[in-house]
Amino acid sequence: MADDAGRLLMDSLAWHLACTKTELPEPPLYTSAGWDRMTSEDRSRAVDALRQWMNGLYVETAETRAVADRLTEIVQENSETGPGAKAIASVTGASTLGKSTAVRRWATRKYVEWIVGAPKGPAELPTWNPQPTIDADLCPVVWVNLQSGSMVKGFNSQVLDFFRLSASGAAHQTSTAAVRALARHGVRTLLIDDFHLLRTNWKGGREVLDHVKYMNTELGEFNASLILVGTDLESSEAMSDAQLIGRLQPMSFSPYGIETSEEQHAWQQLLYGLEGYLLPHLPRASEGLLTSQLAGPIWKRSQGYVGDATRLLRIATLAAIADGTHTINPEHLKEVRLSKRAHAAEAEIDLRRRSKQSRV
């Protein structure tokens, strides 16, 4: 399915396939001699397999586990309390901190957990019986990416498009249709990503915010939960709404710091997790390469942003294999082109360091 610009939209079938997709198996491990003995074709295939596997890796951290556990608690509590408006979970943080990835991971796991035992219908989608004489696709988790400048009808259309339903009619008609669709398809959690795109300084944005609160109330009638995900939501005007604040259960992701011993330990724990995945594929890498030898340079390049750090190490790993060193060194890290944010922040670190040295 595509919108007017031709961009593919998520629907329940695409979401089901994404949630139930089998993860790529870890590629074989090779010694340095093994890599050297490969033909160019075999090496290319091996590198492709390693790259694809690394790009699909999800590294769980204490922070992501805490957020996942809290989301589960909120959804569980909402499912057991009386009908009506429920607690709203929100997850926020700066870009490239991995918040959407972490919440999506939680959402896909819950989707798979909640469809266990459901019979299969057309296109292998799980089904259920919301009423004795009615069969419907079962979709306990719905993921919607909020579009910039969305109006109420546009938001409803995204929900209805998810279920491949018509979005014709006035805004209030699509509101009713969207709520009925969520109930009919057994939705237990509605996730709205990119919620920071909502602007309340114009009439349409304010109406969408009021509509989101209305949706939370309607979801509560069948004990379902609303989860909002977005960048820097703490400073968003939408999140200062009195009614929203009264229901909000906020969680946030922050960059890893290295100023205190506690921060350094947390940073090393993240790198330790990455070592477990990457070092077996670098036959000349020594234990502690990331957690000790390169912990500082990795932080300087990424400033503790998980997205930048993981991309940095994936590319550096491939570079170490390509040049035959089979271990990551500082030069590999320097050569990786990261986000504009990461490069600007790294330049600022160097500037402060030079300024400090000039004053000594």
Side-chain angles (χ1 to χ4, degrees), residues 4-59:
D4 293 338
R7 181 173 61 84
L8 292 177
L9 295 175
M10 177 74 76
D11 65 11
S12 59
L13 176 57
W15 176 244
H16 172 77
L17 294 174
C19 291
T20 56
K21 180 180 178 181
T22 302
E23 294 184 356
L24 290 174
E26 182 175 0
L29 305 180
Y30 301 103
T31 63
S32 296
W35 280 107
D36 293 339
R37 285 195 299 265
M38 288 184 188
T39 65
S40 59
E41 292 81 5
D42 288 342
R43 175 186 286 270
S44 179
R45 283 192 290 268
V47 169
D48 284 346
L50 179 59
R51 186 193 65 251
Q52 292 170 20
W53 175 72
M54 288 193 300
N55 285 339
L57 279 177
Y58 178 79
V59 180

Side-chain angles (χ1 to χ4, degrees), residues 16 111 114-129 134-139:
H16 172 77
Y111 177 91
W114 289 336
I115 64 170
V116 169
K120 297 294 192 298
E124 292 300 300
L125 285 171
T127 63
W128 76 312
N129 302 105
I134 297 177
D135 293 328
D137 293 340
L138 174 63
C139 190

Side-chain angles (χ1 to χ4, degrees), residues 264-297:
Q264 292 169 11
H265 178 71
W267 176 240
Q268 288 175 317
Q269 285 298 108
L270 170 66
L271 297 179
Y272 181 77
L274 287 164
E275 275 193 348
Y277 289 112
L278 303 182
L279 261 58
H281 296 275
L282 294 168
R284 290 184 183 146
S286 59
E287 185 178 353
L289 174 67
L290 306 184
T291 55
S292 299
Q293 300 172 45
L294 296 177

Side-chain angles (χ1 to χ4, degrees), residues 163-332:
F163 296 112
R164 301 180 300 283
L165 298 172
S166 171
S168 60
H172 71 278
Q173 293 172 315
T174 59
S175 295
T176 300
V179 170
R180 286 177 176 171
L182 292 168
R184 178 186 178 91
H185 293 283
V187 173
R188 297 172 69 169
T189 303
L190 170 64
L191 293 110
I192 305 176
D193 197 9
D194 294 330
F195 196 69
H196 59 277
L197 296 178
L198 180 63
R199 298 288 181 265
T200 58
N201 57 357
W202 64 294
K203 183 175 182 292
R206 186 72 229 179
E207 290 174 350
V208 172
L209 177 59
D210 289 340
H211 183 62
V212 167
K213 293 183 290 184
Y214 157 78
M215 292 293 285
N216 181 55
T217 301
E218 292 299 318
L219 286 166
E221 293 300 321
F222 46 94
N223 292 334
S225 297
L226 178 65
I227 299 175
L228 309 176
V229 185
T231 300
D232 297 331
L233 291 181
E234 300 99 330
S235 58
S236 167
E237 290 184 5
M239 304 305 272
S240 65
D241 179 89
Q243 285 182 291
L244 203 60
I245 290 175
R247 298 286 178 186
L248 209 59
Q249 296 286 325
M251 289 154 274
S252 64
F253 284 87
S254 302
Y256 284 83
I258 55 170
E259 293 297 322
T260 67
S261 58
E262 290 80 7
E263 290 175 336
Q264 292 169 11
H265 178 71
W267 176 240
Q268 288 175 317
Q269 285 298 108
L270 170 66
L271 297 179
Y272 181 77
L274 287 164
E275 275 193 348
Y277 289 112
L278 303 182
L279 261 58
H281 296 275
L282 294 168
R284 290 184 183 146
S286 59
E287 185 178 353
L289 174 67
L290 306 184
T291 55
S292 299
Q293 300 172 45
L294 296 177
I298 295 168
W299 187 90
K300 181 188 174 188
R301 292 242 51 210
S302 65
Q303 301 87 50
Y305 282 70
V306 175
D308 286 318
T310 54
R311 183 170 184 272
L312 171 68
L313 292 173
R314 291 198 308 266
I315 296 174
T317 297
L318 295 175
I321 292 172
D323 66 14
T325 57
H326 300 300
T327 185
I328 298 173
N329 59 47
E331 290 303 314
H332 292 133

